[in-house]
């Protein structure tokens, strides 16, 4: 008698560990993921993901196109990349820029707020052209009316004492800074950073770059309340009016 082979029984869904509901859930999830990917691709290819306008504010000496060149972005390029922080880092490499804030406003608007180093002085370059000196020591071409700032004379470009002077001038009261007419280096063995200042109110001041910020309040008081004279602000502070220097001594009478 020939043995008859019995076919294997088909496993039920419960035995296979997957129910029709679960298979349907997986399929729905796959469809959802594919749909999301398609929408993301379409979005990044649409105009909504592109820069529609770039506004640069706060520039005085820097042309807006130079700021955009440093940022490396143009209208029509990706709105999301590079990031705002990366754009700020790029723009801050410009020497005239003290700080910058980049604000992205969806859809497509990029606002760049630049703060340049402040104007603290003017000077003449080697060709005799007037330049404006910023508080970090950078000199830029003058355009239009000159600021009411002191003239730097006798300084060498790149001199660290000159740069330190520019930083010191930034911290002076605006009223005092406007009164300073000319500042020249006047170094000595004891005071390598000594400077000589002439004011519009006709004072002659001898001090040092390092001492200038701490002596600013005293200097303001003198030029506002005393007659013109010579002021020395070093280890000891002295003031002598020019009228006393020119007065005849008792022996001359």
């Amino acid at each position: 008698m020939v043995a008859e082979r019995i076919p294997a029984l088909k496993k039920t869904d419960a035995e296979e560990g997957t129910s029709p509901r679960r298979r349907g859930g997986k399929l729905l999830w796959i469809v959802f993921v594919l749909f999301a990917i398609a929408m993301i691709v379409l979005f990044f290819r649409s105009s909504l993901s592109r820069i529609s306008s770039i506004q640069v504010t706060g520039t005085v000496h820097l042309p807006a196109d130079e700021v955009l060149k440093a940022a490396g972005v143009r209208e029509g390029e990706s709105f999301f990349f590079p990031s705002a922080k990366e754009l700020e880092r790029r723009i801050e490499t410009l020497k005239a820029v003290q700080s910058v804030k980049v604000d992205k406003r969806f859809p497509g608007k990029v606002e760049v707020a630049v703060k340049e180093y402040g104007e603290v002085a003017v000077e003449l370059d080697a060709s005799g052209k007037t330049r404006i000196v910023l508080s970090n020591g950078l000199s830029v071409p003058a355009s239009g009316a000159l600021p009411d700032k002191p003239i730097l004379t006798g300084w060498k470009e790149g001199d660290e004492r000159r740069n330190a002077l520019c930083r010191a001038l930034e911290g002076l009261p605006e009223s005092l800074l406007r009164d300073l007419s000319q500042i020249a280096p006047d170094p000595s063995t004891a005071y390598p950073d000594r400077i000589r200042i002439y004011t519009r109110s006709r004072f002659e001041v001898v001090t040092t770059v390092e001492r200038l910020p701490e002596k600013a309040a005293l200097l303001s008081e003198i030029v506002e309340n005393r007659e013109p004279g010579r002021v020395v602000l070093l280890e000891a502070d002295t003031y002598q009016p020019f009228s006393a220097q020119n007065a005849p001594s008792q022996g001359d009478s």
Side-chain angles (χ1 to χ4, degrees):
M1 185 175 185
V2 179
E4 185 177 350
R5 179 176 294 177
I6 301 174
L9 296 176
K10 186 178 180 180
K11 292 184 179 180
T12 64
D13 291 332
E15 290 174 330
E16 288 183 351
T18 305
S19 65
R21 181 178 298 177
R22 185 173 298 177
R23 286 199 301 270
K26 281 187 175 181
L27 181 60
L28 183 62
W29 175 250
I30 292 173
V31 171
F32 174 78
V33 170
L34 292 176
F35 177 77
I37 292 173
M39 292 302 296
I40 291 172
V41 171
L42 289 174
F43 173 77
F44 279 102
R45 289 185 176 182
S46 72
S47 60
L48 292 175
S49 68
R50 303 293 172 180
I51 297 174
S52 59
S53 66
I54 306 175
Q55 182 180 16
V56 179
T57 60
T59 55
V60 179
H61 302 289
L62 275 174
D65 57 354
E66 189 172 341
V67 174
L68 296 180
K69 182 179 180 181
V73 293
R74 295 178 298 177
E75 293 182 7
E77 295 184 342
S78 173
F79 174 77
F80 299 98
F81 306 101
S83 67
K85 290 296 183 183
E86 173 62 17
L87 294 180
E88 291 172 357
R89 186 194 66 79
R90 293 178 182 180
I91 297 170
E92 285 174 349
T93 60
L94 296 172
K95 293 182 179 180
V97 175
Q98 185 175 22
S99 63
V100 61
K101 175 66 176 176
V102 175
D103 189 15
K104 292 186 173 185
R105 298 181 182 274
F106 187 81
K109 294 183 179 180
V110 178
E111 298 177 356
V112 181
V114 175
K115 180 182 179 183
E116 297 181 5
Y117 286 96
E119 300 173 349
V120 295
V122 296
E123 66 181 1
L124 298 178
D125 63 17
S127 63
K129 294 182 180 180
T130 304
R131 298 179 68 86
I132 296 175
V133 184
L134 306 184
S135 60
N136 65 339
L138 177 69
S139 66
V140 295
S143 58
L146 294 177
D148 210 7
K149 308 296 182 183
I151 300 173
L152 303 185
T153 59
W155 297 91
K156 294 181 180 179
E157 186 176 356
D159 187 341
E160 180 51 38
R161 294 190 182 99
R162 173 184 171 278
N163 295 340
L165 171 63
C166 293
R167 292 191 293 268
L169 292 175
E170 183 182 30
L172 297 185
E174 187 61 29
S175 58
L176 177 60
L177 186 60
R178 285 197 304 267
D179 188 48
L180 304 186
S181 173
Q182 180 181 345
I183 306 176
D186 187 29
S188 67
T189 303
Y191 302 104
D193 64 337
R194 191 173 68 177
I195 54 178
R196 191 173 298 271
I197 303 173
Y198 297 93
T199 75
R200 292 180 172 87
S201 51
R202 297 187 296 119
F203 284 82
E204 179 186 354
V205 183
V206 176
T207 186
T208 65
V209 172
E210 183 180 5
R211 286 177 169 82
L212 181 57
E214 66 183 81
K215 303 289 187 179
L218 175 59
L219 180 56
S220 294
E221 190 277 330
I222 292 174
V223 299
E224 290 173 5
N225 301 290
R226 309 289 182 89
E227 63 176 285
R230 188 171 190 269
V231 182
V232 178
L233 304 174
L234 295 172
E235 293 291 342
D237 303 329
T238 62
Y239 158 73
Q240 186 178 22
F242 291 135
S243 59
Q245 297 176 29
N246 297 330
S249 63
Q250 293 183 355
D252 296 333
S253 58

